[in-house]
Amino acid sequence: MSILVVGGAGYIGSHMVKLLAGSGADVITLDNLSRGYRDAVKYGEFIQGDLGDPAVLDDVFINNQIEVVMHFAAFIEVGESVTYPARYYHNNFTNTQTLLDAMLRHDVGYFIFSSTAAIFGEPDYTPIDEKHRKLPINPYGHSKLMVEQLLSDYDKAYGLRSACLRYFNAAGADPDGDLGERHDPETHLIPLVLQAASGRREDIKVFGNDYPTDDGTCVRDYIHINDLCDAHLLALERIQKTDSSAQYNLGNGKGFSVKQVIDAAREVTGKDFKVTQDERRPGDPAVLVADAKLAKKELGWRPEYADLESIIETAWNWEINFLCKKSSDKEQG
Ligand code: UFG
């Protein structure tokens, strides 16, 4: 079976490519390298190209027997989406429709979609289950919810089967140390805390300390990248077996505050570093925790790295053994 991974050079996509290759699938990555890295694609065939270009997609589908598409090529910054909404609607929605339409032209019937907790907006209750109302509060969340709507309509009208996987906070790195998170600029909490621990960053700024949480900082549900990728494989099996589409919230069901993440990082790394209190970051809900019972029940999904320490440990390994070396190579010229 050939699987096309669109955005396979990015953080989540590159881990997915590794898992798929290890499971014996024939993997092809399509990525325009606008945010990903060629050297993160360590398995299968690599095609540099744009998913917004129907001619590129036609070529890929004509030249390969693709049965499944997994789509990771989205922009993910909430703040950026507020400043540049056109960029988000174009890449995350319009280009995804271009991809889906190409799949229909070439009779490719299964699609796995990276959705997000951001489709729910400010939660009415936590943990958030699949039935929670969907009311995004930023263009990023809207662009993803619009794709979910499109997928629901394409399922009914064209029989395209899909799984929408709503990630909470993807974190951690490949436990073998081959891959990890490499955003530029980095905005996510765990990699930034670890940059402070390794000395690549002067301090970690805590955005807000007056949220209605136990210690006043925001609470998030961190999920290890490998567990997230496992859920993709299980979701694919499910939609193929049941010949139906599905949606799942993916997280560990346990929330950690920004302060707890910082404390855990001190514990895991054995390093102390400077913590600076800063203003709230616009658009941050106080608490985002997943109710992932449905994924556990229907997919038999069992997260392996469910504790925060092992998530941080794998990310720390990546920080010191890859990112620090890269940045010192860069400094030396
Ligand atoms: N934070 C800090 N300091 C930092 C960076 C982050 O205090 O330097 C805080 C944030 O304010 C937030 C928490 O740490 O409270 C987690 O922030 P991240 O940026 O790591 O993650 P988000 O929860 O903002 O983002 C995640 C995904 C997004 C997705 C969003 C949905 O990474 O792609 O959830 O709400 F859009």
Side-chain angles (χ1 to χ4, degrees):
M1 168 169 71
S2 274
I3 299 187
L4 178 67
V5 178
V6 183
Y11 170 43
I12 303 174
S14 62
H15 287 77
M16 193 69 228
V17 167
K18 179 171 177 174
L19 178 68
L20 288 169
S23 74
D26 181 15
V27 200
I28 299 165
T29 290
L30 173 70
D31 199 301
N32 65 5
L33 299 184
S34 69
R35 309 230 169 163
Y37 297 88
R38 175 64 186 91
D39 65 3
V41 186
K42 297 189 186 284
Y43 305 88
E45 192 188 334
F46 174 75
I47 301 168
Q48 185 167 354
D50 206 301
L51 89 139
D53 184 343
V56 167
L57 297 173
D58 282 338
D59 256 12
V60 173
F61 288 121
I62 287 166
N63 295 321
N64 301 280
Q65 292 297 312
I66 290 165
E67 288 172 51
V68 175
V69 175
M70 295 193 175
H71 178 31
F72 300 91
F75 294 153
I76 57 162
E77 297 298 337
V78 169
E80 184 189 47
S81 81
V82 176
T83 316
Y84 304 106
R87 199 180 278 180
Y88 275 70
Y89 287 110
H90 183 73
N91 189 44
N92 292 4
F93 178 73
T94 309
N95 285 353
T96 304
Q97 186 176 14
T98 302
L99 173 62
L100 293 170
D101 291 350
M103 287 175 63
L104 295 181
R105 281 198 297 285
H106 298 278
D107 285 326
V108 183
Y110 300 103
F111 186 70
I112 308 291
F113 178 58
S114 302
S115 190
T116 169
I119 65 164
F120 296 107
E122 199 61 64
D124 294 335
Y125 57 86
T126 57
I128 302 173
D129 57 18
E130 286 76 6
K131 292 189 191 79
H132 190 285
R133 77 183 165 134
K134 285 127 200 118
L135 211 59
I137 54 171
N138 50 60
Y140 169 68
H142 274 293
S143 68
K144 290 280 183 174
L145 185 58
M146 285 164 66
V147 174
E148 288 210 10
Q149 182 60 53
L150 192 74
L151 287 171
S152 158
D153 293 339
Y154 276 31
D155 173 283
K156 288 184 209 108
Y158 310 126
L160 180 77
R161 305 299 184 222
S162 62
C164 294
L165 304 179
R166 287 100 176 229
Y167 311 160
F168 281 62
N169 285 62
D174 170 36
D176 302 335
D178 292 338
L179 299 163
E181 193 165 3
R182 227 192 314 174
H183 295 119
D184 188 16
E186 187 54 76
T187 62
H188 293 114
L189 180 65
I190 290 180
L192 289 175
V193 170
L194 296 177
Q195 285 179 17
S198 72
R200 288 204 297 134
R201 169 172 298 273
E202 195 189 319
D203 63 354
I204 179 72
K205 296 189 172 29
V206 175
F207 298 146
N209 62 357
D210 56 354
Y211 285 97
T213 59
D214 286 350
D215 64 20
T217 66
C218 287
V219 169
R220 294 289 181 272
D221 183 343
Y222 295 90
I223 167 172
H224 192 274
I225 184 82
N226 278 31
D227 290 331
L228 201 56
C229 291
D230 282 345
H232 288 64
L233 265 192
L234 294 167
L236 172 60
E237 277 169 25
R238 168 97 188 172
I239 63 170
Q240 288 181 318
K241 201 165 81 195
T242 59
D243 189 28
S244 62
S245 295
Q247 300 80 32
Y248 299 102
N249 293 359
L250 297 176
N252 282 308
K254 252 191 321 197
F256 293 94
S257 71
V258 174
K259 280 192 180 151
Q260 285 176 315
V261 170
I262 291 172
D263 289 345
R266 283 199 170 112
E267 193 69 33
V268 168
T269 65
K271 306 273 182 196
D272 202 7
F273 46 87
K274 192 170 157 201
V275 177
T276 311
Q277 191 56 55
D278 207 337
E279 297 295 302
R280 282 184 177 206
R281 187 175 67 176
D284 274 342
V287 180
L288 281 178
V289 176
D291 178 340
K293 280 196 210 79
L294 190 67
K296 289 183 178 164
K297 182 170 155 243
E298 288 192 353
L299 304 179
W301 180 57
R302 298 281 172 271
E304 201 184 321
Y305 304 90
D307 60 305
L308 185 61
E309 284 70 23
S310 30
I311 293 176
I312 294 177
E313 249 167 50
T314 57
W316 177 236
N317 181 33
W318 176 247
E319 167 66 18
I320 48 175
N321 291 315
F322 183 86
L323 296 175
C324 286
K325 287 187 183 142
K326 271 264 171 212
S327 89
S328 87
D329 289 352
K330 214 164 144 187
E331 271 165 30
Q332 281 161 22

